[in-house]
Amino acid sequence: MIFKSLTTRVIVLLVTLLSVGIGTFTYLNLTREKTQLIKTARENTQLLLSTVERSIYKSMSMGDTQDVQTTLEMVVHGHSRLIGARIFHPQGLILKSSNPFEVGTPVPDGDYSLFINNLASGIYDSPDFGEVFGMIKPIYNSEPCHICHGTKRRIIGILNVNYSLAETNRRIIELTRLFVFSTAAIIAFIALAISIVMVRFVRRPLNCIIENMARVEQGDLSVRMTPRGRDEIGRLISSFDSMVDKLDTAKRELEQYHFQQMERADRLASVGEMAAGIAHEIKNPLAGIAAAMSIIRQDFTDEDPRKEIIGEVIEQVNRLDKTVNDLLFFGKPAPPEPACVEVNDILRRTLVFALQHRGGKNIERKLELAEGLPPVYVDPKQVQQVFLNLILNAIQAMQEGGVLTVGSSLAESGGERFVRITIADTGPGIPKQIIGKIFTPFFTTKAQGTGLGLAICQKLITQHGGRISVTSEDGGGTIFSVDLPVAGVS
């Protein structure tokens, strides 16, 4: 759970990286120091070996073997880290030594292995002295040595010096402890400093922001914070305050707008109920007036001018009856009775019926119906009412004639498939300033329109799960698009 915190992860990551970096640096330094100490021990041993070689050279040249023995003992006695100096035979027998008691005994395995392996120096463990740095140098049978050793052997002995590494190892251990303790102290100090900085300047401000965001989420928009710096956290706090200010303003505007809409909706509901009641009361008298006018009209001859007046009255009564029917349908539309139907069949029947309209004689029709479209699950009567309304509107928009294009195709949007129906005309188009209002109830540009036709179309298509849209250019015609979901697709 602790590693779910961003600051904890950052602290752990930084401390880990620093630990790796400092640890690597410390290891390299420690290795370098160890190498340097070993190198110093090697140089000291080399120097001692050269000193011993020069010291015994003269005595060996004169054949004074006792002086050689004395020289070896004096060299070792004068140097605390030199634990042994000897001359041994190539076959492994000690000839001269700083320790007189080992003369005539076999040379130690570590030193002899250097000679056997043709090595000039090496480190090995001694049972008595621990780690020892051994160095050997062959003594060649030079001309002054021929007096005692003859001329047959090339190497008459091996000069061997042993240097104790106890002091060197002690210093290496001290350096290791120093480096480890200093590295641990540095890492602990840096980890503490990073933790304080992260908690003080990152974690606390972020927790404060989270707490205030939770209050905002619960609806408290009075929350404000005071930035303490101009860094990223400070800018985040300033942005948070600005966001809350804008949310508070938007909330107030939305509440005011919602209140106005509720008042308007309440008034519209009251007006709608009243209009539906009035329309219901008007419908029956209108039917009686229309029937009475039809009977009276039959009493006049065709030449009687009063017959034409009565015909006009009947036509106006029928228009009022249609308006009342639209009003009643918009206020309380009949529930749909859906079924799987073919859109192309409905379009063909609707187009034939619509072109019987008195304005459809000068209209050229074009059918662009895609074959093999999947069925749609809709109420065929209500959908046909929508298509008829849109086609009649298109015909009425082309009073001087034009081209009516009815098309269908398969479309896809948001992972859903739709059957798209397009009804296009070549009329004058819809001005931009009113195209967004054409689906508003009671909005109309016709002298004798009710403004409910397109509103009813939109309502019917919406309750079928589809959508209706319009595109138009002023003077360039209008295209209405109706998308109906394919049957079986949610």
Side-chain angles (χ1 to χ4, degrees):
M1 294 295 292
I2 189 172
F3 287 101
K4 290 185 178 180
S5 170
L6 173 63
T7 52
T8 302
R9 293 201 299 268
V10 171
I11 291 172
V12 171
L13 177 61
L14 290 177
V15 171
T16 302
L17 292 176
L18 283 171
S19 300
V20 172
I22 296 174
T24 303
F25 179 75
T26 302
Y27 174 77
L28 294 176
N29 277 336
L30 186 59
T31 303
R32 185 179 63 84
E33 290 295 330
K34 287 182 179 180
T35 304
Q36 187 63 33
L37 290 172
I38 296 297
K39 181 180 179 182
T40 301
R42 181 186 298 273
E43 292 174 351
N44 291 338
T45 307
Q46 179 69 39
L47 180 61
L48 289 172
L49 183 67
S50 300
T51 301
V52 171
E53 183 182 16
R54 286 194 300 268
S55 298
I56 66 174
Y57 180 75
K58 185 176 180 181
S59 300
M60 292 182 65
S61 299
M62 297 174 61
D64 190 354
T65 58
Q66 185 60 38
D67 191 35
V68 172
Q69 177 68 31
T70 304
T71 301
L72 292 176
E73 292 176 5
M74 289 178 61
V75 169
V76 173
H77 182 73
H79 202 288
S80 59
R81 298 185 186 179
L82 190 62
I83 60 175
R86 63 178 66 90
I87 298 173
F88 62 86
H89 194 275
Q91 294 182 356
L93 188 66
I94 298 176
L95 303 176
K96 302 292 180 182
S97 175
S98 59
N99 182 8
F101 297 103
E102 67 176 11
V103 175
T105 63
V107 69
D109 294 337
D111 294 314
Y112 194 65
S113 64
L114 296 177
F115 172 70
I116 296 299
N117 295 321
N118 198 26
L119 298 176
S121 61
I123 299 175
Y124 61 89
D125 289 325
S126 171
D128 299 326
F129 302 101
E131 271 195 335
V132 173
F133 184 81
M135 183 171 286
I136 62 174
K137 186 174 183 179
I139 301 175
Y140 294 100
N141 190 7
S142 60
E143 186 175 348
C145 300
H146 292 173
I147 300 174
C148 299
H149 299 283
T151 59
K152 294 183 179 181
R153 289 185 298 174
R154 182 171 176 268
I155 298 176
I156 58 176
I158 293 90
L159 178 61
N160 174 217
V161 174
N162 291 334
Y163 187 88
S164 175
L165 294 179
E167 181 66 19
T168 301
N169 289 335
R170 186 185 64 79
R171 293 182 60 185
I172 290 175
I173 292 173
E174 289 180 355
L175 283 174
T176 302
R177 290 176 179 174
L178 177 63
F179 276 114
V180 170
F181 290 151
S182 61
T183 300
I186 292 172
I187 292 175
F189 175 76
I190 294 177
L192 180 61
I194 291 175
S195 300
I196 293 174
V197 170
M198 291 296 295
V199 172
R200 174 67 177 82
F201 296 102
V202 178
R203 187 170 186 173
R204 288 182 183 176
L206 286 179
N207 286 340
C208 185
I209 293 174
I210 292 171
E211 291 174 1
N212 288 325
M213 288 183 69
R215 291 174 59 188
V216 171
E217 186 179 1
Q218 294 172 359
D220 184 5
L221 297 180
S222 63
V223 176
R224 296 296 183 273
M225 300 177 62
T226 303
R228 297 182 179 179
R230 297 182 179 180
D231 55 4
E232 289 81 359
I233 300 295
R235 292 200 298 271
L236 178 61
I237 291 174
S238 298
S239 299
F240 174 80
D241 288 345
S242 176
M243 179 193 68
V244 175
D245 284 335
K246 293 179 180 179
L247 284 175
D248 193 18
T249 303
K251 180 183 178 183
R252 293 176 183 175
E253 293 177 354
L254 185 62
E255 288 176 349
Q256 184 178 3
Y257 178 75
H258 180 68
F259 180 73
Q260 293 174 353
Q261 290 296 104
M262 290 295 292
E263 285 186 331
R264 183 172 179 270
D266 185 62
R267 290 196 298 268
L268 287 177
S270 300
V271 172
E273 291 179 1
M274 183 176 63
I278 294 174
H280 185 75
E281 293 297 327
I282 292 175
K283 185 173 179 62
N284 291 334
L286 282 178
I289 293 173
M293 288 294 103
S294 298
I295 294 173
I296 294 173
R297 185 181 181 185
Q298 294 175 1
D299 294 338
F300 297 100
T301 62
D302 293 339
E303 293 79 10
D304 194 329
R306 290 176 294 179
K307 186 174 184 178
E308 183 178 354
I309 296 173
I310 292 176
E312 183 67 24
V313 171
I314 294 174
E315 185 176 349
Q316 294 299 323
V317 169
N318 290 334
R319 187 178 70 83
L320 288 174
D321 184 65
K322 181 180 181 303
T323 301
V324 170
N325 286 332
D326 286 346
L327 185 60
L328 288 173
F329 185 85
F330 183 77
K332 190 176 181 181
E337 298 177 0
C340 288
V341 296
E342 299 290 339
V343 169
N344 289 346
D345 294 341
I346 298 177
L347 287 173
R348 290 189 182 96
R349 292 197 304 268
T350 306
L351 188 60
V352 170
F353 180 73
L355 289 178
Q356 304 303 318
H357 189 269
R358 59 186 178 183
K361 296 180 180 180
N362 299 325
I363 303 298
E364 178 186 353
R365 67 173 185 177
K366 287 185 178 180
L367 282 177
E368 298 178 353
L369 306 180
E371 298 298 333
L373 291 177
V376 293
Y377 190 66
V378 295
D379 186 325
K381 294 181 182 179
Q382 292 185 355
V383 171
Q384 186 175 25
Q385 179 182 348
V386 173
F387 295 160
L388 179 61
N389 194 313
L390 296 178
I391 293 174
L392 290 179
N393 285 348
I395 292 174
Q396 291 171 4
M398 298 182 289
Q399 297 181 0
E400 304 299 328
V403 179
L404 172 67
T405 304
V406 178
S408 63
S409 62
L410 187 63
E412 185 172 346
S413 176
E416 295 184 82
R417 293 195 303 160
F418 295 88
V419 174
R420 177 166 295 170
I421 300 94
T422 55
I423 299 172
D425 63 66
T426 58
I430 303 174
K432 292 182 179 179
Q433 59 269 23
I434 67 172
I435 193 170
K437 304 177 182 179
I438 61 174
F439 293 107
T440 303
F442 306 107
F443 177 82
T444 181
T445 58
K446 300 177 183 178
Q448 297 182 349
T450 63
L452 290 174
L454 290 177
I456 292 174
C457 290
Q458 186 183 49
K459 197 168 188 177
L460 291 175
I461 294 300
T462 301
Q463 72 180 5
H464 282 90
R467 53 178 175 262
I468 182 171
S469 59
V470 59
T471 57
S472 179
E473 295 182 4
D474 196 2
T478 303
I479 301 176
F480 278 89
S481 298
V482 177
D483 288 346
L484 295 174
V486 172
V489 179
S490 57

